């Protein structure tokens, strides 16, 4: 392909979905897809073979679940608004409030719209091992959730569940340590609720993830609190290592001894987490070197990779290849489906990568191509 494209690999996607389904079956937990990490709705027919529901964080995500996944989502938002709450309530199965003030403002109204809604409250155990503050939901001063010291002795009318999100691409060991804090602080209220949502960030499809440990932890929790339905809503775990971004070298430039291969994709537009987190994505056929001082110990041809936007910092480096890169050569950036595809933007109006699926039989299906009309519509 001569244009940039995100390529989903059906075989890998099904492997992840199968593992997630097995965990759900072994533990009795409900594991649902978080759209904030993966929302490629043309793949939902595959997802529906393995899972029953999804989770939304906005009106648009809730509508996508209702219209394209075919089920009512578990919805949580940091802040519902007057002009959206009615429609969100109408299409959701669960509605979780971020604060007691949001509950007071919208509980009655949402209940009138949808009498079948299950209502929850987000809790904050003030414990998280997420090292990057940008992604740490329990950092001091967080706007997420209610801490135990601010909880009323008796839960507000209609609250039947808790939602707690403390992880980001974390292991089962982190969940085990976090669970201690959740139970220590909030178990006094467990007798008043019917379900417990442990949120996302449980990266159970990562190769080194301790799945048996997760199963043991979830079973143990259910044994201690058999009346509580357990819910997990990972995002990355579904799309982890299920596809890549195919890019091309369009130029090679040098300045102050630094050689940059300019690509027909952008880090800030098409891979924003790389700059925000930050992290270096794997490049097929290349060695990642995060510290320039290490270049002297690596044999090969070192390049910084640069995006094609006008943002000065739209680059990362270094990667070492076993040959000099040529204009027109393909560069494959691995694991570029989760979070990346939902956070892309049209800054600079640069060419947006297409989306394709590589089926199990090796055939390629183009799911979506983008053009000028997509850019122009953003300004309508």
């Amino acid at each position: 392909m001569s244009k940039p494209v995100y390529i989903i690999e059906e075989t890998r996607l099904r492997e992840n979905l199968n593992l997630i389904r097995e965990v759900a079956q072994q533990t009795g937990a409900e594991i649902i897809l978080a759209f904030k990490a993966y929302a490629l709705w043309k793949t939902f027919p595959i997802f529906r073979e393995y899972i029953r529901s999804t989770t939304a964080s906005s009106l648009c995500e809730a509508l996508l679940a209702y219209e394209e996944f075919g089920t009512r989502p578990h919805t949580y938002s940091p802040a519902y608004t007057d002009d959206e709450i009615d429609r969100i309530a109408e299409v959701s199965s669960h509605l979780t409030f971020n604060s007691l003030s949001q509950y007071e403002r919208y509980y009655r109204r949402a209940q009138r719209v949808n009498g079948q809604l299950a209502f929850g409250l987000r809790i904050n155990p003030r414990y998280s091992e997420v090292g990057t503050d940008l992604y740490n939901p329990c950092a001091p001063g967080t706007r997420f959730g209610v801490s135990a010291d601010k909880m009323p002795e008796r839960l507000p009318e209609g609250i039947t569940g808790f939602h707690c999100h403390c992880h980001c691409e974390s292991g089962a060991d982190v969940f085990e340590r976090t669970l201690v804090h959740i139970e220590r602080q909030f178990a006094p209220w467990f007798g008043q609720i019917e379900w417990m949502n442990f949120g996302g960030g449980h990266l159970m499809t990562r190769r080194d993830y301790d799945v048996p440990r997760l199963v043991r932890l979830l079973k143990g929790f259910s044994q201690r609190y058999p009346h509580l339905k357990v819910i997990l809503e990972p995002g990355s775990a579904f799309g982890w290592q299920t596809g890549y971004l195919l890019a091309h070298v369009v130029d090679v430039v040098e300045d102050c001894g630094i050689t940059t291969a300019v690509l027909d994709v952008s880090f800030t537009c098409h891979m924003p987490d790389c700059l925000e987190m930050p992290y270096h994505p794997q490049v097929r056929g290349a060695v990642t070197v995060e510290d320039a001082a290490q270049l002297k110990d690596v044999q090969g041809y070192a390049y910084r990779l640069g995006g094609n936007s006008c943002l000065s910092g739209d680059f990362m480096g270094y990667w070492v290849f076993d040959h000099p890169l040529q204009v027109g050569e393909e560069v494959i950036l691995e694991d570029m489906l989760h979070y990346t595809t939902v956070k892309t933007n049209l800054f600079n109006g640069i060419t947006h990568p297409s989306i394709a699926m590589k089926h199990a039989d090796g055939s390629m299906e183009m799911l979506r191509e983008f053009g000028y009309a997509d850019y122009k519509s953003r300004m309508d």
Side-chain angles (χ1 to χ4, degrees):
M1 296 183 182
S2 59
K3 293 183 178 180
V5 57
Y6 296 103
I7 297 180
I8 310 160
E9 299 179 270
E10 181 185 356
T11 298
R12 291 188 174 187
L13 178 61
R14 287 187 179 276
E15 288 173 354
N16 283 359
L17 286 163
N18 189 61
L19 185 149
I20 290 169
R21 181 173 61 183
E22 288 180 355
V23 171
Q25 291 173 341
Q26 290 178 41
T27 63
E30 183 177 17
I31 305 179
I32 60 181
L33 170 66
F35 283 171
K36 68 178 181 178
Y38 184 101
L40 298 177
W41 58 270
K42 289 187 178 180
T43 65
F44 287 175
I46 296 175
F47 277 78
R48 286 197 295 267
E49 297 178 29
Y50 299 86
I51 64 172
R52 295 187 306 239
S53 191
T54 62
T55 179
S57 301
S58 65
L59 173 58
C60 288
E61 287 187 348
L63 290 173
L64 187 69
Y66 186 68
E67 295 177 359
E68 299 298 338
F69 203 89
T71 58
R72 298 176 182 272
H74 298 232
T75 303
Y76 158 81
S77 173
Y80 299 111
T81 61
D82 287 342
D83 59 336
E84 294 184 347
I85 186 63
D86 292 344
R87 187 64 172 135
I88 288 176
E90 182 182 350
V91 301
S92 299
S93 64
H94 292 64
L95 192 72
T96 295
F97 296 105
N98 182 63
S99 65
L100 293 170
S101 56
Q102 280 267 295
Y103 164 84
E104 292 167 1
R105 185 179 183 91
Y106 291 120
Y107 167 64
R108 294 287 183 196
R109 181 169 168 179
Q111 188 184 47
R112 285 195 296 270
V113 171
N114 182 355
Q116 302 302 311
L117 269 175
F119 292 95
L121 191 66
R122 178 160 178 169
I123 58 174
N124 173 18
R126 298 192 185 280
Y127 180 86
S128 174
E129 297 186 22
V130 178
T132 304
D133 283 346
L134 183 66
Y135 295 91
N136 186 350
C138 298
T142 182
R143 67 191 191 282
F144 295 134
V146 182
S147 55
D149 61 303
K150 295 183 175 66
M151 292 281 287
E153 183 175 343
R154 190 71 195 170
L155 291 178
E157 176 189 344
I159 295 296
T160 59
F162 282 164
H163 175 281
C164 187
H165 179 68
C166 307
H167 302 94
C168 177
E169 298 185 357
S170 304
D173 58 325
V174 178
F175 179 49
E176 183 167 20
R177 292 189 291 271
T178 305
L179 193 56
V180 172
H181 292 263
I182 295 172
E183 291 190 58
R184 182 180 297 155
Q185 296 180 50
F186 292 97
W189 289 276
F190 284 177
Q192 301 179 43
I193 61 174
E194 300 170 2
W195 52 271
M196 180 73 206
N197 186 331
F198 287 115
H202 308 273
L203 195 49
M204 61 190 77
T205 54
R206 189 176 59 200
R207 189 166 300 172
D208 63 348
Y209 190 94
D210 191 346
V211 174
R213 190 174 193 172
L214 175 64
V215 170
R216 174 176 58 81
L217 291 170
L218 292 175
K219 284 184 174 180
F221 184 85
S222 293
Q223 289 170 358
R224 292 191 297 278
Y225 311 101
H227 69 290
L228 292 182
K229 177 181 179 179
V230 175
I231 304 164
L232 279 76
E233 48 179 45
S236 294
F238 285 94
W240 186 258
Q241 295 290 348
T242 58
Y244 53 89
L245 175 55
L246 174 63
H248 306 84
V249 178
V250 295
D251 199 6
V252 178
V253 298
E254 185 276 334
D255 183 66
C256 296
I258 298 173
T259 303
T260 301
V262 183
L263 308 177
D264 58 356
V265 295
S266 161
F267 287 100
T268 190
C269 294
H270 309 137
M271 299 167 279
D273 267 2
C274 295
L275 300 182
E276 292 177 3
M277 189 65 168
Y279 73 94
H280 282 62
Q282 292 184 351
V283 174
R284 191 173 300 180
V287 176
T288 303
V289 180
E290 297 191 18
D291 185 350
Q294 299 173 348
L295 290 172
K296 65 181 184 300
D297 301 320
V298 180
Q299 298 296 316
Y301 300 84
Y303 294 89
R304 175 183 281 176
L305 297 182
N308 58 344
S309 79
C310 291
L311 178 69
S312 299
D314 189 4
F315 66 85
M316 294 195 76
Y318 293 85
W319 284 266
V320 177
F321 295 79
D322 62 5
H323 64 280
L325 294 182
Q326 303 295 322
V327 171
E329 183 172 344
E330 292 183 352
V331 173
I332 294 176
L333 297 115
E334 304 282 14
D335 196 23
M336 281 295 156
L337 270 294
H338 59 93
Y339 276 104
T340 299
T341 51
V342 296
K343 296 179 76 171
T344 57
N345 60 76
L346 294 172
F347 168 65
N348 253 185
I350 62 177
T351 300
H352 200 74
S354 303
I355 303 174
M357 173 173 282
K358 183 179 180 180
H359 291 290
D361 62 5
S363 63
M364 196 76 72
E365 177 187 0
M366 189 63 67
L367 301 180
R368 177 68 193 272
E369 294 183 88
F370 300 87
Y372 170 62
D374 299 289
Y375 172 71
K376 185 180 179 183
S377 66
R378 297 288 289 271
M379 308 301 166
D380 285 350

